[in-house]
Amino acid sequence: MTNDELAKLFRPGSVHKRLYTDKDIFDLEMNRIYGQAWIYVGHQSQVPRPGDYHATRIGDQDVVMVRGSDGQVSVLYNRCPHKGAKLVTEGDGCAGKFFRCPYHAWTFKLDGTHMSLPLRAGLEGTCYSADNPDFSMKRLARVDQYRGFVFASQSASGPDLREFLGGSASTIDNLCDRSPVGEVEVAGGVFRVMQQSNWKVFYENLHDTMHAPATHESSVVAAREQSKAIGDMPFELLIQEGNGEPWSFWEALELRAYPYGHGYMEGIFDPNAAEKDAVTKAHQASLIAAHGAERAREIMGMNRHNTIIYGSGSPHNVFQQFRVIRPIAVDRTLIEIQVFRCKEAPQAVFDRALVYANLINSPSSNVMPDDVELYRRCQEGNSTRGGDWVSQHRYLGTDKSMPDGGAVSINGTSELPMRNQMAAWRHYMLGDDVSPEQEAAWTGRTPLSTAGAQA
C-alpha cells in the first residue's frame, strides 16, 4: 500500500474503516509504528534479581526483558540464533546464570552474548565464532527506563524516551510519588483479556466520555439499586456508579492531547476524597509524614482518570494500574492489567487498587465486558458494506493548540483524543508526506510540529 493510498483514508474529521479492518495496514503498523516508537515492555520490579525475565511482545515481535548479572536490564528478541526457537515461554521466570535453548542447548549470557554449544568441533572451519554477533541473541536497538518503567524501541533513531513521553510522563511521576518513598512495584498478579477488535479502538475509547452513560448503563443502574437497598454508597459501588454522571459533568472535564498520540482525561472521582474517605486520608497522612502537608496535597491533588501512552497503554495514577495494550492481529488485541503497590504506603491503598482492578478492569467485572462487547461490535460492523467512514467530528476545529505541539479541549465530550491519536498515526505511517496544510484540514487545528509528532 502506497503512502498516497494511505493518505486517501483520511477526510476532515473522519477516517476510513480500513484502518481497523485491513490486514495489510495492520502489518504496516507493526513496522512503522511498533517498529519505531518507544513501547512499554514492563516494570523493573518484574525482574528483581539477576536472571529474572519477563517475556512479552512489542508489536508482532516476541521479546524478553531480563535482569543481567551486573544488575542492568536488557531487552532481547526471544529467539535462539541457531534454529530460531523461542528461548523462553511467555510470562515471568528465572533463567539462572544464563539462557539455555531447550532445542540444542546453545547457551547465552544474560545480555544475549553467545557462550557455548555442544560439540563445538563440528563447526570448525565455518563462520562460527563466539565473537560473531550472528551467533548471539539480538538486542533491541534502544532500551531506557523512566522511574522503573522500562521502554524499548526497535529503531536506532528518533527522540529519546523523555522527549517521547512528554507531558504523559507526569502521570508516571504521580503514580510513583504516591509512594512515600517514590517507588512502586507490580504486585497481586496480572489480568489478561483477549479482545476481538483492532488495537486502536481501545485507545480511542479510553478518552471517549460520550460512551460512558450509554455503554455502562446496566452497571450504573445496578450500583444505584444496590446502594438504595443498603442505604449507603461504598467504594465498590461508587466506582461503578461513576459512569452515570449527567452530560453536564462529562462536558466539563478536561481532555489534554500531547504529541506522539499521548494524552490524559481529567479524573471522574472526587479530588477531595481525603476529607471523607478513610483510605485516602491514611494515604495522605503517610505522604505528609514523608514530604510535608503542601507536597502531599499536591501529589494527591493530581486527578486524572485515564492517561494514554500511545502504542503502550494506559497508566492510572489514582488507582495504580497500567492497562497494557498488545496488538495481536487486525481483529485481536491482548490487554494486560498490571496493578502496582506503592511502597511504604498503607496496605489499604494496595487493597483498594486490587478492588478497582477486580470490579472495573477484570474479565469478570461488571464494567469491562460492556466495553469489550462494543469493541467487538465495532469490528463486526466495520466489516460490513454498511458504510466506509468512521466519524471523529465532535468539536472539530475548536481545540486549543498548546506550545508543546499538543492541544486541550474546550468541551469534555470532544473527539480531540481520537483526532490526536490519528494525527500521530499519520506521521508514523506517512512520515514527511504529511503536509501542514493536510494536518490542519484533517484535525481542524494547528498541526503538530514535525519534530513533535514523528519518531
Side-chain angles (χ1 to χ4, degrees), residues 4-127:
D4 284 343
E5 291 174 310
L6 287 173
K8 292 177 182 177
L9 301 179
F10 286 79
R11 290 179 177 177
S14 60
V15 298
H16 199 280
K17 67 182 183 182
R18 288 180 62 189
L19 270 67
Y20 306 90
T21 62
D22 192 307
K23 182 182 181 300
D24 291 337
I25 292 178
F26 177 84
D27 291 340
L28 277 177
E29 291 171 342
M30 296 304 100
N31 179 41
R32 297 185 182 180
I33 299 178
Y34 284 87
Q36 299 291 324
W38 286 99
I39 305 296
Y40 175 64
V41 181
H43 192 266
Q44 287 194 0
S45 62
Q46 294 174 284
V47 290
R49 297 171 299 275
D52 287 348
Y53 66 82
H54 173 67
T56 183
R57 290 170 67 89
I58 290 182
D60 58 356
Q61 301 297 302
D62 292 306
V63 300
V64 184
M65 178 177 70
V66 59
R67 176 83 63 177
S69 55
D70 59 357
Q72 298 300 306
V73 173
S74 300
V75 181
L76 313 167
Y77 290 99
N78 191 357
R79 177 187 183 273
C80 175
H82 179 213
K83 298 295 185 182
K86 289 174 66 174
L87 281 160
V88 297
T89 57
E90 196 169 303
D92 300 326
C94 183
K97 295 183 178 180
F98 53 85
F99 287 109
R100 180 181 184 272
C101 181
Y103 198 7
H104 295 96
W106 283 38
T107 57
F108 308 88
K109 296 178 182 178
L110 296 175
D111 65 358
T113 304
H114 178 64
M115 283 180 60
S116 188
L117 52 83
L119 303 177
R120 187 178 301 189
L123 292 174
E124 289 181 354
T126 72
C127 66

